[in-house]
Amino acid sequence: MSLFLEVVPVSEAVKAVRSIAPPAGCEDVPLEDALHRVLTRDVCADIDIPGFDRSTVDGYAVAAAETTGAGEAIPAMLQCRGRIGMGSADAGSVSRGSCKYVPTGGALPEGADAVVMIEHAEQIGDDVLVHRPVAPGENVVFRGEDFRAGKVVLERGRVLSPRDIGVAAAVGADRVSVATVPRIGIISTGNELVPVTGIPGPGEVRDANSYLAGAFVTARGGHPVYFGIVRDERAVLERAVSSALDRCDAVLVSGGSSKDERDNTAAVIADLGEVLVHGIAIAPGKPTIIGTARGKPVIGLPGHPASAFVVLVAIVDHLLAAMLDATVSRRTIRARLTQNVPSTRGREDYVRVSVRDGEATPIFGKSGLLNTLVQSEGLVRVPASSEGFEVGEEVEVILW
């Protein structure tokens, strides 16, 4: 295991992690506990939404034809036949030459098909002067215009946002079916690592990757389970991975993935299962490992945090999405490059960039530097078929 296996394209690596993802489980949860969970069953409207014709403004419910030709000089004159209360079970009706006051959200009376905004009318006693005509349907939401009974309002695979929770409540879904939260084991390996609370001595560094990977897993809807720092000893790492497999649905191991003879991650995965990929045509992140053990995914991440994070975004994101029966959702923007971005054909490069006023500035740094993570807002992906981008070229930025 001292040499890389055949280096594969990023697309093949993504296909590999998706193929080994265990199927998503599901559970019913109360709606108040469903925020940021992934739907496994469509949510449908139980009734028409809204269940009645309703006004979208404060004003006067009218038959639109009664206001034809109305203006400031010659307003249309209607008789006000009362006010419609919010929540009223019977809004009554309007006949020729009459109208009713209706508040925002109030029900439309029978015979009315539009609402004149209060700003465009003047009431004098029981008379209402309309200074502006309205068209049929103006300032009105009709029954079922939002959602029809039985219509799918939230599709399976959707990550529920606060907006979605509100919509689900409006259609009577007090419980929803969501994917069970996958438990992801997090292991960092390396004799040079010390706990985050420790002071690194010569040749030592703090364990940043456990927290980096764990936070990424949490942000993508998983539950990280931390197994701490493991020394570069094959038997010790094997015990840690075995323990993680006992308790988790997948395992991420950072460090121990390069060609150094002391790096044991690939060997341990091979002992416990099978190495599918050892080396991806990606920069940074070439020494990434993809394997399985006991039917569960085990991913070997690079030891450098900046490289590890790129692999989390480019590869592990797809694994977690597949485990949740969801799609990979990324925030992207278009921006113009302020500098040339060179690349090597045949390798997919991910370049960190800062973004300001529609411009993307590459942040080039030596391998292993952390400052590029905090100075950047996202990544620019350079396809393997390209030799880079030129200054002024418009590119897509994958936001962190």
Side-chain angles (χ1 to χ4, degrees):
M1 303 303 297
S2 61
L3 296 175
F4 283 116
L5 303 181
E6 182 179 355
V7 175
V8 303
V10 171
S11 59
E12 188 171 327
V14 169
K15 183 179 179 180
V17 295
R18 296 193 71 88
S19 70
I20 62 176
C26 65
E27 60 179 341
D28 283 351
V29 300
L31 187 59
E32 59 266 29
D33 296 333
L35 183 63
H36 299 152
R37 302 291 294 273
V38 178
L39 275 180
T40 55
R41 188 166 59 239
D42 292 343
V43 172
C44 299
D46 62 337
I47 59 174
D48 286 342
I49 305 292
F52 54 91
D53 298 343
R54 63 189 300 182
S55 174
T56 62
V57 297
D58 293 336
Y60 296 92
V62 301
E66 300 268 18
T67 68
T68 301
E72 292 292 337
I74 307 177
M77 181 178 292
L78 302 171
Q79 277 201 323
C80 184
R81 299 298 190 186
R83 301 171 67 90
I84 299 169
M86 287 296 295
S88 174
D90 183 9
S93 63
V94 293
S95 57
R96 182 176 179 82
S98 68
C99 64
K100 278 191 174 184
Y101 177 83
V102 60
T104 301
L108 218 63
E110 186 178 345
D113 61 0
V115 176
V116 176
M117 293 178 65
I118 196 169
E119 294 91 332
H120 301 147
E122 179 184 2
Q123 185 166 357
I124 303 173
D126 290 337
D127 293 328
V128 176
L129 305 181
V130 178
H131 297 290
R132 179 176 170 181
V134 288
E138 189 169 340
N139 300 321
V140 173
V141 174
F142 292 105
R143 176 173 180 155
E145 186 175 336
D146 207 351
F147 298 113
R148 286 287 184 187
K151 177 181 175 60
V152 174
V153 298
L154 298 170
E155 311 84 2
R156 59 171 296 186
R158 188 182 185 98
V159 180
L160 293 172
S161 69
R163 305 183 307 279
D164 299 328
I165 298 296
V167 170
V171 300
D174 64 323
R175 297 183 68 87
V176 290
S177 179
V178 295
T180 52
V181 177
R183 295 169 60 86
I184 311 297
I186 308 292
I187 298 172
S188 286
T189 179
N191 293 341
E192 76 282 8
L193 298 179
V194 298
V196 68
T197 55
I199 303 299
E204 296 179 331
V205 295
R206 288 190 175 100
D207 172 26
N209 278 1
S210 286
Y211 297 90
L212 180 73
F216 184 87
V217 166
T218 299
R220 294 304 193 268
H223 175 72
V225 181
Y226 297 95
F227 290 86
I229 299 169
V230 177
R231 294 185 61 79
D232 281 326
E233 297 176 14
R234 186 163 170 173
V236 176
L237 179 57
E238 186 165 328
R239 285 196 296 271
V241 173
S242 293
S243 178
L245 289 168
D246 288 340
R247 297 172 52 190
C248 302
D249 304 300
V251 180
L252 302 179
V253 182
S254 67
S257 62
S258 71
K259 294 186 289 184
D260 189 278
E261 63 181 2
R262 290 182 56 81
D263 292 329
N264 296 306
T265 302
V268 166
I269 296 174
D271 287 345
L272 296 174
E274 180 183 7
V275 174
L276 303 176
V277 172
H278 190 186
I280 302 175
I282 186 175
K286 180 180 178 181
T288 300
I289 304 166
I290 301 171
T292 62
R294 302 183 196 166
K296 299 177 180 180
V298 183
I299 310 298
L301 302 173
H304 292 309
S307 299
F309 196 61
V310 167
V311 174
L312 288 169
V313 171
I315 307 296
V316 177
D317 208 1
H318 292 273
L319 171 66
L320 295 173
M323 294 178 72
L324 287 163
D325 195 21
T327 56
V328 173
S329 178
R330 291 175 174 164
R331 295 185 305 124
T332 63
I333 60 171
R334 304 291 297 183
R336 294 195 179 278
L337 287 171
T338 62
Q339 299 178 36
N340 290 336
V341 175
S343 182
T344 300
R345 190 181 294 273
R347 182 185 71 193
E348 196 164 295
D349 279 355
Y350 285 78
V351 180
R352 279 144 278 177
V353 296
S354 64
V355 182
R356 295 288 185 279
D357 300 324
E359 294 184 332
T361 300
I363 299 177
F364 300 111
K366 296 179 180 178
S367 177
L369 291 181
L370 296 174
N371 59 35
T372 58
L373 288 179
V374 295
Q375 292 175 1
S376 59
E377 280 77 45
L379 297 167
V380 169
R381 170 184 167 272
V382 184
S385 59
S386 172
E387 292 184 351
F389 298 126
E390 295 184 353
V391 60
E393 195 167 347
E394 187 177 69
V395 295
E396 183 179 71
V397 179
I398 302 170
L399 299 175
W400 293 128

